C-alpha cells in the first residue's frame, strides 16, 4: 500500500479577488482532503475521481454540474469524462441536459462498448439509467446570461458568442480530479458547463483525450479555453511525453513553452506513476489544490504568467 496522491482543480483564467480566492481555497481544500481520505481508506482511482468530481459539480462556485454557465440559447449542457490507466478506457458524456452529476455517466460508460455519448442520445441514456431529472441552472447564472444576452439582442440566438473576456465567473471554472491510488493506479476526470454563450452543439475539450487523459505513466486534467486545449492535444501530448521518458516537470515545461509561443490560455494538473504531482498554466491563475506524501498545498497565489511546478509539487516551487 502506497500513500495516495491527489490534485484537483476548479478552473483557470483571469485573476480573482481576495474574497473569491478565500471561498475557492476553502472549497478546494475541503474536497481535496475528503477525497484523499477516501483514497487512503483504499478506494480505487476511478471511485476517487467520481467522489471528487461529484463534490465539485455540486459546488456552485464552479462551472460544472449545478451552477454551470448557460449556452447561447439559455440552456445548461454538461460534459464530463474519465480515464484510468489500468483499464485504459476513455469515456465521456457530451452536452447532457438536466442532470446533477455528469461524471456518474462517464463512470458508467467506462465498461461499455460505446464509451463517448453526445446529445441527443445522451438524454435517452439518462432515461435508461433512471437518472433523476435535475435542473442545474442557478438564479445567479441565469441573471448573468440574461444581462449578456441583452447586450446581443440583435444577433440570432445561435450566432451568439461569448464575450472576449467574460471574466472568471463566466467561462472558466471547469473542474478536474487526478489521483494515484494506494495500488498505484492513475485516473483523471474532468467536468464542465463549457465556455458560456457558446453555439449550441459546440463540443468542449472536456470529453476528449485532449482535455482529460490517463496513460501508463501520467494522468492529466485540463482547464481553460477548450479550443486552445484541443489545438494542442494537450493532455495526451503531456502523457505521451512522460511515457516516452521525460520527467513530468520536463514534459510540462516543454509543452508549456510551445503553448506560450502559440499564445494559448489554459492550465493543467497531473500526477505521474511515482505519485509526483505537477501543474502548469499560461493563464493568470490556476485554481488547484494537491496532497501527497510530501504534504499539501494549493496554487491559488501563483498568479502571474506561465508557471510549471517543480518535482513533488513543493509549494510555491516555480520556474
Ligand atoms: N475547457 C472548457 C471549455 O472550454 O469548454
Amino acid at each position: 500500500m502506497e500513500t495516495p496522491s491527489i490534485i484537483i482543480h476548479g478552473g483557470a483564467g483571469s485573476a480573482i479577488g481576495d474574497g473569491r480566492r478565500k471561498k475557492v481555497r476553502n472549497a478546494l481544500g475541503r474536497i481535496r482532503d475528503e477525497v484523499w481520505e477516501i483514497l487512503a481508506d483504499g478506494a480505487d482511482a476511478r471511485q476517487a475521481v467520481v467522489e471528487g468530481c461529484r463534490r465539485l459539480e455540486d459546488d456552485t462556485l464552479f462551472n460544472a454540474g449545478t451552477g454551470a454557465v448557460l449556452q447561447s440559447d439559455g440552456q445548461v449542457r454538461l460534459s464530463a469524462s474519465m480515464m484510468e490507466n489500468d483499464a485504459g478506457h476513455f469515456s465521456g458524456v457530451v452536452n447532457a441536459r438536466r442532470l446533477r452529476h455528469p461524471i456518474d455517466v462517464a463512470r458508467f460508460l467506462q465498461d461499455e462498448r460505446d464509451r463517448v455519448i453526445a446529445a441527443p442520445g445522451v438524454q435517452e441514456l439518462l432515461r435508461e439509467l433512471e437518472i433523476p431529472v435535475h435542473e442545474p441552472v442557478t438564479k445567479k447564472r441565469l441573471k448573468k446570461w440574461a444581462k449578456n444576452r441583452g447586450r446581443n439582442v440583435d444577433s440570432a440566438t445561435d450566432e451568439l458568442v461569448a464575450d472576449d473576456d467574460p471574466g472568471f465567473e463566466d467561462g472558466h471554472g471547469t473542474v478536474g480530479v487526478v489521483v494515484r491510488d494506494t495500488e498505484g493506479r492513475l485516473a483523471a476526470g474532468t467536468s464542465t458547463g463549457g465556455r458560456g454563450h457558446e453555439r449550441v452543439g459546440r463540443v468542449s475539450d472536456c470529453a476528449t483525450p485532449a482535455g482529460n487523459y490517463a496513460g501508463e505513466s501520467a494522468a492529466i486534467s485540463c482547464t481553460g479555453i477548450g479550443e486552445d486545449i484541443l489545438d494542442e492535444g494537450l493532455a495526451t501530448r503531456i502523457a505521451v511525453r512522460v511515457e516516452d521518458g521525460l520527467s513530468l516537470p520536463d514534459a510540462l515545461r516543454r509543452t508549456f513553452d510551445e503553448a506560450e509561443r502559440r499564445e494559448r490560455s489554459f492550465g493543467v494538473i497531473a500526477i505521474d506513476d511515482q505519485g509526483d504531482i505537477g501543474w502548469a498554466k499560461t493563464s493568470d491563475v490556476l485554481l488547484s489544490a494537491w496532497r501527497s506524501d510530501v504534504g499539501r498545498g494549493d496554487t491559488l497565489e501563483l498568479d502571474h504568467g506561465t508557471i510549471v511546478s517543480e518535482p513533488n509539487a513543493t509549494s510555491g516551487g516555480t520556474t
Side-chain angles (χ1 to χ4, degrees):
M1 289 259 289
E2 299 178 52
T3 308
S5 298
I6 181 167
I7 182 162
I8 67 176
H9 71 72
S14 39
I16 56 173
D18 290 346
R20 186 168 173 82
R21 184 184 296 120
K22 192 171 167 198
K23 281 190 206 161
V24 170
R25 173 167 277 145
N26 287 341
L28 290 180
R30 174 181 53 78
I31 293 168
R32 169 201 63 201
D33 288 340
E34 284 174 11
V35 180
W36 191 88
E37 295 295 344
I38 291 170
L39 276 166
D41 282 345
D44 71 42
R46 288 193 289 197
Q47 191 187 337
V49 161
V50 169
E51 293 287 348
C53 285
R54 278 178 142 240
R55 284 165 170 77
L56 290 159
E57 286 169 349
D58 279 343
D59 195 321
T60 57
L61 276 174
F62 305 113
N63 174 20
T66 306
V69 296
L70 281 60
Q71 299 194 333
S72 60
D73 64 345
Q75 300 289 335
V76 166
R77 293 182 181 81
L78 302 170
S79 299
S81 72
M82 73 182 302
M83 187 165 182
E84 181 244 23
N85 70 346
D86 203 14
H89 289 171
F90 181 91
S91 61
V93 61
V94 181
N95 287 329
R97 291 189 54 215
R98 306 186 76 200
L99 79 166
R100 185 172 168 196
H101 293 128
I103 194 68
D104 287 354
V105 189
R107 175 66 187 90
F108 167 77
L109 291 168
Q110 277 279 294
D111 306 317
E112 293 294 292
R113 188 189 61 175
D114 303 325
R115 289 197 290 273
V116 182
I117 306 295
V122 68
Q123 297 308 131
E124 279 176 37
L125 178 63
L126 301 185
R127 274 193 295 276
E128 232 174 271
L129 297 176
E130 297 182 5
I131 291 179
V133 169
H134 171 80
E135 186 46 76
V137 177
T138 59
K139 225 180 226 174
K140 192 173 155 202
R141 293 291 198 192
L142 187 58
K143 271 190 185 161
K144 202 132 195 216
W145 177 86
K147 200 170 146 205
N148 289 339
R149 181 72 183 93
R151 284 200 234 124
N152 289 298
V153 80
D154 291 333
S155 309
T157 301
D158 66 359
E159 285 174 5
L160 286 177
V161 293
D163 289 353
D164 284 345
D165 181 9
F168 201 95
E169 286 178 50
D170 266 23
H172 316 292
T174 293
V175 303
V177 175
V178 178
V179 301
R180 182 175 179 268
D181 68 21
T182 54
E183 304 292 329
R185 286 176 294 244
L186 294 166
T190 306
S191 181
T192 191
R195 198 180 55 201
H197 292 272
E198 65 266 67
R199 185 183 289 273
V200 175
R202 171 190 184 255
V203 176
S204 160
D205 62 287
C206 163
T208 75
N212 188 81
Y213 195 80
E216 274 176 27
S217 309
I220 294 109
S221 167
C222 304
T223 173
I225 304 296
E227 284 70 12
D228 284 358
I229 294 167
L230 287 166
D231 286 347
E232 294 293 321
L234 188 59
T236 310
R237 180 184 290 249
I238 296 164
V240 168
R241 283 184 162 155
V242 178
E243 210 157 307
D244 283 350
L246 284 191
S247 68
L248 180 59
D250 283 347
L252 291 172
R253 215 169 273 126
R254 186 176 295 182
T255 304
F256 274 72
D257 281 350
E258 294 161 350
E260 187 71 23
R261 280 201 301 278
R262 293 193 272 263
E263 299 185 359
R264 306 300 195 195
S265 178
F266 48 53
V268 305
I269 58 172
I271 299 180
D272 70 15
D273 55 2
Q274 302 305 302
D276 288 346
I277 287 172
W279 66 77
K281 69 181 185 63
T282 57
S283 48
D284 286 345
V285 289
L286 170 65
L287 305 179
S288 88
W290 55 270
R291 182 165 175 183
S292 71
D293 58 356
V294 301
R296 68 184 110 175
D298 66 49
T299 65
L300 272 60
E301 307 282 346
L302 309 177
D303 57 4
H304 297 291
T306 300
I307 292 180
V308 174
S309 59
E310 287 297 334
N312 294 328
T314 45
S315 64
T318 61
T319 60

